[in-house]
């Protein structure tokens, strides 16, 4: 059984249907990347999975349970966390306060988990007392991911984690994603940097026009001439 199984999901905003029977799966321990042109429904799919966009038809199964009608807090409590592309930290709060907010549903002592986050993201520790709004784009992205990890998720959804970052910071973000996956956390990734994301992915999906177009292993999609021409710059 897949850890996450999205089956023929239809979703959108108002009268506009964005996703047309989209199906994907993430198995335990995998990194899975979704690529496709801007506006094809990648972010909408992430929001539908986590409960921020209503699923009109189809199903979202997580750990074998249909979570299609769950609100985001229920989903988070179940072990699935989502990091949006923007507005993903509390800018007026410090780094430490952001991490504490990430533990909002925990009932145990989460101080050890904060220490673990500072080990995983060492650049954050010296600035623990700084307001998140004063951080660089790369630091904010690291903080957003660390905050999601405060709940020890089994599946992490990342929406464009490298967007707008300098090349050196992009590599740092992908290195941290590999480190997180190595701890046993499964990852579903939406990423415009398709070449780098597919390189580290077990499998990938291509969406276009709100529909499934192609599914294959990460290496196979990297080597696919059509994928290369449309999404990898040649």
């Amino acid at each position: 059984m897949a850890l996450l199984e999205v089956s023929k999901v239809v979703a959108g905003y108002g009268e506009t249907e964005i996703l047309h029977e989209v199906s994907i799966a993430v198995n335990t321990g995998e990194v899975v990347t979704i690529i496709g042109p801007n506006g094809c429904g990648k972010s909408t799919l992430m929001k539908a999975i986590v409960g921020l966009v209503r699923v009109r038809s189809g199903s979202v199964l997580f750990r074998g349970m249909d979570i299609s009608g769950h609100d985001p807090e229920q989903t988070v409590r179940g072990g699935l966390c989502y990091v949006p592309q923007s507005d993903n930290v509390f800018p007026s709060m410090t780094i430490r306060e952001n991490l504490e907010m990430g533990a909002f549903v925990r009932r145990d002592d989460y101080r050890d988990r904060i220490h673990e986050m500072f080990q995983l993201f060492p650049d954050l520790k010296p600035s623990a007392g700084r307001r998140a709004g004063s951080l660089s784009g790369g630091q904010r992205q690291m903080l957003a991911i660390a905050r999601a990890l405060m709940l020890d998720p089994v599946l992490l959804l990342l929406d464009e984690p490298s967007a707008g970052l300098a090349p050196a910071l992009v590599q740092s973000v992908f290195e941290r994603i590999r480190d997180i996956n190595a701890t046993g956390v499964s990852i579903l990734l939406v990423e415009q940097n398709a070449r780098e994301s597919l390189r580290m992915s077990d499998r990938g999906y291509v969406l276009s026009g709100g529909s499934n177009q192609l599914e294959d292993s990460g290496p196979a999609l990297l080597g696919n001439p059509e994928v290369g021409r449309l999404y990898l710059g040649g």
Side-chain angles (χ1 to χ4, degrees), residues 139-158:
Q139 288 173 317
R140 284 195 189 201
Q141 197 59 261
M142 297 296 190
L143 176 57
I145 296 172
R147 192 178 59 149
L149 291 173
M150 284 296 296
L151 291 177
D152 293 310
V154 297
L155 176 60
L156 185 62
L157 275 57
L158 301 175

Side-chain angles (χ1 to χ4, degrees), residues 56-78:
R56 299 176 182 178
S57 65
S59 62
V60 178
L61 300 182
F62 178 56
R63 291 174 149 178
M65 177 184 296
D66 191 342
I67 62 169
S68 307
H70 287 192
D71 61 40
E73 184 174 332
Q74 284 179 287
T75 302
V76 166
R77 288 179 183 274

